[in-house]
Structure formats: structure tokens, C-alpha cells
Amino acid sequence: MTLHPDTATARHALPSYLDPNRLGPWGIFLQQVDRVTPYLGSLARWVETLKRPKRILVVDVPIHMDDGTIAHFEGYRVQHNTSRGPGKGGVRFHQDVTLSEVMALAAWMSIKNAAVNVPFGGAKGGVRVDPKQLSLGELERMTRRYTSEIGLIIGPTKDIPAPDVNTNERVMAWMMDTYSMNVGETVTGVVTGKPISLGGSLGRREATGRGVFTVGAEAARRIGLDIAGARLAVQGFGNVGGIAAKLFAEAGARVVAVQDHGGCVYREAGLDVPALLDHVKRHGGVAGFEGAEALDRDQFWDVPCDVLIPAALEQQITRENAHRVTARLIIEGANGPTTPDADDILRERGVLVVPDVVANAGGVIVSYFEWVQDFSSYFWSEEEINERLIRIMKGALNAVWQVAEDKGVSLRTATFIVACERILRARDLRGLYP
Ligand code: NAD
């Protein structure tokens, strides 16, 4: 029987929410997959797997507000790929979260987990809410209802959430408790990034920043850039940017500029990073920090620097500002901060980009350690954790560096080659069910 042409086309048509022509993070991920496909050999027959998330759950999250009204928030959990193991990825609370963004973040988790070879697939979650507008009680109710709603598909062997933008240890404790209440037993391994006293891991809070520092210092060494005295500009001064800046400063770098959601501060001789961290803790952002010049937020991109660390949100380095970047080295602390157009411009200009899927993998590596420790109920020392983290991060960077040199491609494409081969080989070996 021959199919009607329309039926044949429809059979391969992507669902509307996967439309590659739509701009946004998911469109960027699809472009990244297209770039790597020619290098995948016979595994390329499975590449469509990567272009379609395995499972998408959109949930309504209604809660009682303190003033007696009822508010509804939109929540998501996306499991992009589970060929290599359970889904793993953070939960983001942000007013601009979209399904496209969560899909892309889940996909980047699949790539990242495969790139550093931890036995997880990729997942991500989010709620479209500005948590700064909620009281503590409202935040807790929202977290618990969201956890119950996605409880259908998460679990320690199914999909394990973790912190991301605007979520932290306290939120993870509520998530763990809610899941445990619903299943009738304490299940510490359902989330990572928990407080130490609830089965969290030493070193988890600092892990992503430490990983950014580890691969950043190694990449700098490889291009002959001395970290001692190097000028650093950091966008985003939360968990990732704040810790990375602190470690670079301790290694002798000068953190000359920091931009966050509310401002930008600059000091040519180097900012006092511990004092700035303290200021952010007290005031919620870098704006108003004394002992630094205040810049317009947009001036951040023109600041003379050697190393740039985007550690805030996606799509920050674009074709509009990529020409303005003065750094020789970009270490992506955030997920998806550089668009493919900007990648090309930076490569032409000789700027080395250490991609997110390697650079910020420290968090998920120590999350993996936390999950293993929870299963065995045996906890490791911080020295052991940091030593294993550094070994895996350096090993992953060295491996993708070699592929980049051998194939003459960017570090990002090299990382996608390594990761997609691992994911699609697993897919191929497992075969299709039924
Ligand atoms: P965080 O909430 O601790 O900090 C976010 C920072 O970004 C804050 O300083 C905030 O002011 C700043 N920011 C927000 N909007 C901004 C804007 N429009 N312009 C400039 N700055 C802005 O979050 P985090 O955990 O540090 O995460 C930061 C990035 O790192 C995210 O892309 C996240 O996905 C990624 N990441 C986090 C982890 C982790 O373990 N926390 C792991 C891997 C990747």
C-alpha cells in the first residue's frame, strides 16, 4: 500500500511545540544536534530520538495565597532521554520559564550526563513564577503541590530533580519530604542538592562553581593564559557565578566586573569577592556595592577582560554582542548562554568557548555522588568528593579537547560528538520496544 503524500509527510512531521523554526532554547539545541549529525556515522539513524523529548508533563499548580486568594502557576517536567539511565536535572522557578526552555535544558542534561559519563539520562523541570514575590509559606505550598503533580513520573530510579535557578537546599528538602509523604516512606534519593542532614552530599553546593574553576583553569593553561593576574568578568553571581568567582580570586585572578539581574559593578584592580558575596547575601544583588564603580548593565559586555564566565541564563551572548566580548576564554557556567550564531563569531575571532555541557557538569557529578551515597547510606569525606569531581572534570575536558583537535571542530561540537555517540549507542543496543 502506498501512503497518500500528505499522510507520509504527516507521519514525519514534528509536533508543533518541537518546531525547529521557532527561535528559543529548543531551536538552539536542534541546531546543535544538526551540527553534530555528520560526525555520528551509522548512529545518525537514531538522531531523531534526540529531537523529540521522551516525555513532557505540563501541570497546573494551584495554591492558597496568604491573602486568601487562590493562585495558579504553570509547571513542567520534561524527560528528554533515558536511554542511559534515569532522568536527572534541576528545577527552575522563574517568571520567564517556558516549555521550550525546559525542553532545551532537559536535552542539555542528556548531553552533559553522557559527556561526563555519569549513568543518567536528561530531564529538567520548572515553574513559571517569580519566587521573590511569594512569602516563605506560599513558596513551600507551591513547591509541595508542584512535587505532588510531577510525583507521577519522578523517583530515585526514574527521574531525580535537583536545584537550579531560584531553587536551593530548602526547596529540595520540601520536595524530598512531599515525595516521601506521598509514597509512605523516606526516600532521600528522589532529589539531590539536599541539606547534609537529610542525605545531602558534602561539596554539592560548591560543586558547579568548583567544576567551572577546574575546567577553566585547565583550559587557560592549555592556551597559555596565566590565571594569576588574569582579568575575569562574571555574569550572574548566584550559586555558580559566586563560587566560581571566589575560587578564581583565590587562585590570584582579578574579578574586574560582575553583572546580575539588578546591576553591574566594576573595579579594574579587582573586586573584593568575599565582600561582594556578603553584600549580595544582605541586599539580594550586586547593585549598591561600595568600593566599585557602578556600570549600566549593558556596559558589562565592553569591559576589558581575559576570561568571561556567563553564569546566569540562556541566550546572553548573541550575534548582537559577540563582537564586543574582549575575553580570550569563555567558560559557560550557565546552561545555553551562547547562541549558535555567536559561537561562530567567537570561533572566527579566536575566542575559546568551554561549553556548558562540560564546564558546568560539576553539579550533576556531585549529584551523582549524592545519589550513590544515599543508596548505600554511606557518606564520603569532602576531600574524597572534590578529588573525584576534579578527576572526572579534567578527564572529560581532556577527552573532548582531543576530539576537537582530531576533527578540527569546536569544543562544543566535540562534546556533542562524544555525548551523542554514547546516548545513541545505548539507544541502538537497547533497540525499540515493542
Ligand atoms: P542562582 O539563582 O543561584 O543565581 C542566578 C544568578 O543570575 C543571580 O545572580 C541572578 O541575579 C542572575 N541573573 C538572573 N537574571 C539575570 C539577567 N537577566 N541578567 C544577568 N544576571 C541575571 O542560579 P545558579 O544555580 O547559580 O544558576 C545559574 C546558571 O547556572 C543557570 O543557567 C543554571 O541552569 C546553571 N547551572 C546551575 C547549576 C547548579 O548546580 N546550581 C548546575 C549547572 C548549571
Side-chain angles (χ1 to χ4, degrees):
M1 188 187 88
T2 50
L3 287 170
H4 185 276
D6 287 350
T7 315
T9 312
R11 202 177 58 164
H12 295 291
L14 289 169
S16 57
Y17 52 85
L18 303 183
D19 182 356
N21 298 318
R22 276 194 46 198
L23 286 177
W26 179 251
I28 290 176
F29 172 73
L30 292 178
Q31 286 186 49
Q32 292 168 339
V33 172
D34 287 343
R35 285 178 178 207
V36 80
T37 305
Y39 299 96
L40 296 178
S42 62
L43 290 172
R45 65 190 277 261
W46 289 106
V47 83
E48 276 292 308
T49 306
L50 300 172
K51 297 184 177 180
R52 297 159 189 263
K54 175 184 172 61
R55 189 175 283 129
I56 292 174
L57 182 62
V58 181
V59 295
D60 175 37
V61 184
I63 62 160
H64 287 293
M65 301 297 279
D66 292 347
D67 64 5
T69 60
I70 296 168
H72 290 257
F73 302 100
E74 193 169 312
Y76 316 97
R77 185 73 189 172
V78 175
Q79 293 165 354
H80 172 258
N81 189 285
T82 56
S83 295
R84 300 179 62 256
K88 183 91 192 80
V91 171
R92 175 174 295 195
F93 292 165
H94 196 278
Q95 60 277 15
D96 299 329
V97 166
T98 61
L99 180 57
S100 156
E101 182 182 40
V102 178
M103 282 161 39
L105 291 166
W108 286 321
M109 287 308 297
S110 300
I111 302 295
K112 187 183 309 182
N113 292 333
V116 297
N117 214 1
V118 293
F120 292 130
K124 203 83 179 190
V127 180
R128 220 172 141 75
V129 61
D130 180 359
K132 295 186 180 70
Q133 305 299 320
L134 300 184
S135 69
L136 194 63
E138 290 166 344
L139 182 67
E140 178 174 352
R141 292 195 288 281
M142 203 266 302
T143 302
R144 288 185 181 280
R145 182 63 191 244
Y146 168 69
T147 308
S148 290
E149 294 293 341
I150 65 165
L152 296 170
I153 62 167
I154 63 169
T157 56
K158 291 201 236 171
D159 177 5
I160 306 116
D164 191 71
V165 174
N166 291 330
T167 54
N168 54 20
E169 291 179 2
R170 182 166 56 195
V171 171
M172 292 306 115
W174 290 330
M175 290 189 75
M176 189 280 262
D177 182 69
T178 305
Y179 181 85
S180 298
M181 288 295 124
N182 286 341
V183 298
E185 60 182 313
T186 296
V187 187
T188 53
V190 66
V191 291
T192 57
K194 299 179 294 293
I196 302 291
S197 51
L198 285 180
S201 176
L202 293 167
R204 173 61 185 89
R205 192 185 306 150
E206 302 80 13
T208 308
R210 188 175 299 283
V212 167
F213 170 71
T214 302
V215 295
E218 179 63 15
R221 188 189 65 74
R222 282 172 170 264
I223 62 169
L225 174 65
D226 194 355
I227 286 298
R231 295 161 305 170
L232 215 79
V234 184
Q235 185 198 39
F237 208 60
N239 178 282
V240 180
I243 304 276
K246 180 168 164 279
L247 294 174
F248 272 104
E250 285 169 6
R254 275 187 289 151
V255 180
V256 292
V258 173
Q259 184 218 55
D260 73 1
H261 69 282
C264 179
V265 290
Y266 175 73
R267 184 163 184 264
E268 196 188 343
L271 296 156
D272 179 342
V273 174
L276 185 57
L277 286 167
D278 190 52
H279 175 89
V280 170
K281 205 179 273 175
R282 280 184 289 117
H283 301 282
V286 300
F289 179 62
E290 285 175 10
E293 195 182 322
L295 299 183
D296 284 345
R297 286 182 66 252
D298 186 59
Q299 284 178 285
F300 173 77
W301 302 106
D302 302 316
V303 164
C305 65
D306 304 299
V307 182
L308 170 64
I309 303 182
L313 300 172
E314 307 86 64
Q315 290 176 271
Q316 297 301 302
I317 306 174
T318 63
R319 94 168 83 144
E320 275 73 43
N321 63 7
H323 288 105
R324 291 165 62 187
V325 169
T326 58
R328 282 174 65 193
L329 174 62
I330 297 179
I331 314 159
E332 293 185 337
N335 287 307
T338 311
T339 63
D341 297 351
D343 251 346
D344 293 341
I345 295 167
L346 294 166
R347 192 161 156 79
E348 269 164 35
R349 294 184 52 218
V351 180
L352 179 69
V353 179
V354 183
D356 48 5
V357 280
V358 173
N360 69 27
V364 79
I365 292 170
V366 178
S367 275
Y368 167 52
F369 297 162
E370 180 174 336
W371 182 73
V372 169
Q373 292 171 85
D374 284 341
F375 267 117
S376 58
S377 296
Y378 179 74
F379 291 87
W380 315 342
S381 72
E382 191 159 0
E383 292 71 40
E384 277 172 287
I385 285 161
N386 288 343
E387 188 259 315
R388 288 175 189 185
L389 166 67
I390 291 167
R391 184 154 27 96
I392 294 178
M393 295 288 304
K394 281 192 178 168
L397 181 71
N398 291 341
V400 299
W401 198 286
Q402 192 62 49
V403 173
E405 275 184 0
D406 291 349
K407 301 203 185 292
V409 295
S410 68
L411 280 180
R412 191 184 315 279
T413 301
T415 309
F416 268 68
I417 292 174
V418 170
C420 292
E421 278 181 0
R422 286 190 178 136
I423 298 167
L424 299 183
R425 186 162 302 117
R427 174 73 283 171
D428 191 42
L429 287 167
R430 287 178 68 157
L432 282 183
Y433 175 86

